[in-house]
């Protein structure tokens, strides 16, 4: 997943085309597990909206919105007088976000297929912006943050959510290392651009926000345990929607891939408790503001 971005121009295009294709495939699986995802991320999502300063009547930009779970939370917050633009690279997942917004009756939600590094929105046209578990997939997250900065009005707020470092996200680390081993690929630097944990290095995301021109940058680490009935529920989620893992295992034949899934299951069993299965995660919520006098 990371090797293709070494050549700056064609590498980035190839990387993004592959990312789009992966999420087009994983879109239905992600949306099928949205109730579990929503429960897992509910508190961090509420915190993200609050830290971005989302208020009734606001115009809010949702970047890498997926099938729109956090879009619906934002839509509720801004109310009927507000507006939410949910954007994502994957046309398949944007179609699901549109269906979900319609199903829940949120006429204030608009959806658009857009690369987060080139949103194509009008300058200074949003009061606030959010990006939940998306920015780490960008090959150039600084450019993604510059786009959000451009889209915000002076004084507008933003909050992003990404995974923190590997030790704090052991399930992601197990999935990735097991998949790579079975695919015969070398271990990867988790902090290389575009990977699941790429923005988890302490201080990294704050530095990017500052380079993008933001003021009042502050990152808060939040524990977000993924509670599920059993390890098999977690694996069902991963098998249908964890696009980076699926991409690595896509190199294997069916029997080889099954061997990888069996080893992942054995290792993930370590998180089985008397109350079910509890996968630890740590998320970084980074809030910032566009300078009031910025143009
Ligand atoms: C883990 S999902 C998160 C979706 C949603 N925000 C949520 O939390 O439910 C990551 C999303 O990032 C999107 N994505 C990846 N690279 C992107 C890019 N360069 N621009 C916009 N979206 C991107 C994927 O298509 C996918 O929908």
């Amino acid at each position: 997943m990371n090797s293709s971005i070494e050549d700056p121009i064609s590498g980035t295009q190839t990387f993004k085309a592959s990312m789009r294709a992966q999420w087009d495939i994983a879109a239905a699986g992600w949306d099928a597990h949205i109730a579990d995802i929503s429960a897992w991320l509910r508190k961090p999502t509420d915190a993200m909206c609050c830290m971005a300063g989302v208020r009734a009547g606001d115009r809010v930009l949702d970047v890498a919105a997926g099938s729109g779970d956090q879009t619906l939370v934002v839509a509720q917050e801004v109310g009927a007088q507000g507006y939410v633009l949910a954007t994502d690279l994957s046309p398949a997942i944007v179609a699901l976000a549109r269906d979900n917004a319609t199903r829940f009756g949120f006429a204030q939600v608009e959806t658009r297929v857009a690369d987060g590094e080139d949103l194509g929105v009008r300058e200074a046209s949003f009061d606030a912006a959010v990006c939940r578990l998306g920015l780490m997939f960008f090959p150039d997250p600084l450019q993604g943050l510059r786009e959000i900065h451009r889209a915000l009005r002076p004084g507008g707020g933003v909050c992003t959510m990404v995974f923190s470092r590997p030790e704090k996200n052991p399930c992601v680390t197990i999935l990735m290392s097991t998949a790579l081993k079975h695919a015969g690929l070398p271990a990867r630097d988790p902090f290389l651009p575009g990977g699941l944990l790429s923005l988890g290095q302490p201080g990294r995301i704050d530095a990017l926000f500052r380079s993008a021109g933001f003021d009042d940058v502050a990152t808060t680490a939040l524990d977000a345990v993924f509670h599920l009935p059993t390890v098999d529920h977690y694996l069902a989620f991963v098998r249908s929607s964890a696009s980076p893992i699926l991409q690595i295992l896509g190199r294997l034949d069916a029997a080889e891939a099954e061997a990888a899934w069996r080893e992942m299951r054995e290792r993930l069993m370590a998180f089985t408790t008397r109350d079910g299965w509890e996968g630890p995660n740590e998320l970084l919520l980074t809030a910032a503001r566009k300078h009031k006098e910025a143009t």
Side-chain angles (χ1 to χ4, degrees):
M1 182 164 144
N2 296 315
S3 57
S4 59
I5 53 179
E6 279 161 14
D7 166 18
I9 297 172
S10 67
T12 298
Q13 299 309 330
T14 310
F15 178 85
K16 285 190 184 161
S18 158
M19 182 68 74
R20 182 183 296 109
Q22 285 174 50
W23 280 101
D24 277 347
I25 292 167
W30 184 265
D31 193 52
H33 289 89
I34 210 66
D36 289 334
I37 296 166
S38 190
W40 169 39
L41 297 177
R42 183 63 212 223
K43 277 191 189 158
T45 301
D46 288 344
M48 176 179 75
C49 291
C50 181
M51 289 164 74
V54 172
R55 289 190 186 81
D58 274 355
R59 288 175 56 85
V60 180
L61 173 65
D62 186 356
V63 178
S67 63
D69 179 58
Q70 72 292 309
T71 311
L72 303 185
V73 175
V74 174
Q76 186 80 46
E77 296 277 326
V78 300
Q81 304 308 312
Y83 168 77
V84 191
L85 179 62
T87 62
D88 197 282
L89 187 65
S90 152
I93 214 160
V94 168
L96 291 167
R98 191 182 51 240
D99 292 350
N100 288 332
T102 304
R103 191 156 50 89
F104 285 92
F106 287 121
Q108 66 272 45
V109 173
E110 196 185 330
T111 58
R112 189 177 298 172
V113 176
D115 177 358
E117 295 177 12
D118 183 15
L119 288 164
V121 298
R122 204 156 39 83
E123 191 170 337
S125 55
F126 290 90
D127 300 298
V130 295
C131 180
R132 188 179 88 174
L133 296 186
L135 191 64
M136 67 272 185
F137 290 126
F138 292 17
D140 187 352
L142 175 57
Q143 176 55 27
L145 290 173
R146 284 188 175 128
E147 267 298 84
I148 292 176
H149 188 271
R150 193 184 62 77
L152 285 174
R153 63 161 169 79
V158 54
C159 186
T160 63
M161 183 193 299
V162 298
F163 288 108
S164 74
R165 40 192 218 280
E167 319 81 90
K168 296 285 190 177
N169 296 282
C171 301
V172 174
T173 307
I174 287 171
L175 293 169
M176 189 55 84
S177 62
T178 311
L180 288 170
K181 185 182 89 176
H182 281 259
L185 294 170
R188 280 182 191 164
D189 175 352
F191 302 129
L192 279 179
L196 270 166
L197 304 176
S198 62
L199 296 177
Q201 203 166 25
R204 169 87 180 125
I205 193 155
D206 297 61
L208 290 172
F209 266 81
R210 289 196 191 95
S211 298
F214 283 105
D215 285 352
D216 303 334
V217 179
T219 292
T220 306
L222 279 189
D223 282 326
V225 177
F226 205 162
H227 289 272
L228 289 168
T230 68
V231 67
D232 292 316
H233 287 78
Y234 182 63
L235 278 170
F237 160 67
V238 174
R239 291 186 74 141
S240 67
S241 65
S243 113
I245 309 297
L246 301 178
Q247 196 215 17
I248 296 168
L249 294 182
R251 306 161 66 104
L252 303 179
D253 68 28
E256 290 168 338
E258 277 314 311
W261 290 116
R262 270 197 304 280
E263 185 179 335
M264 287 179 202
R265 185 177 188 282
E266 273 164 35
R267 297 180 67 189
L268 291 165
M269 283 287 283
F271 303 103
T272 300
T273 70
R274 271 188 307 186
D275 297 327
W277 185 86
E278 300 186 353
N281 289 280
E282 188 184 72
L283 305 171
L284 299 179
L285 269 66
T286 305
R289 197 151 296 285
K290 181 166 172 174
H291 195 267
K292 278 216 167 69
E293 276 78 52
T295 51

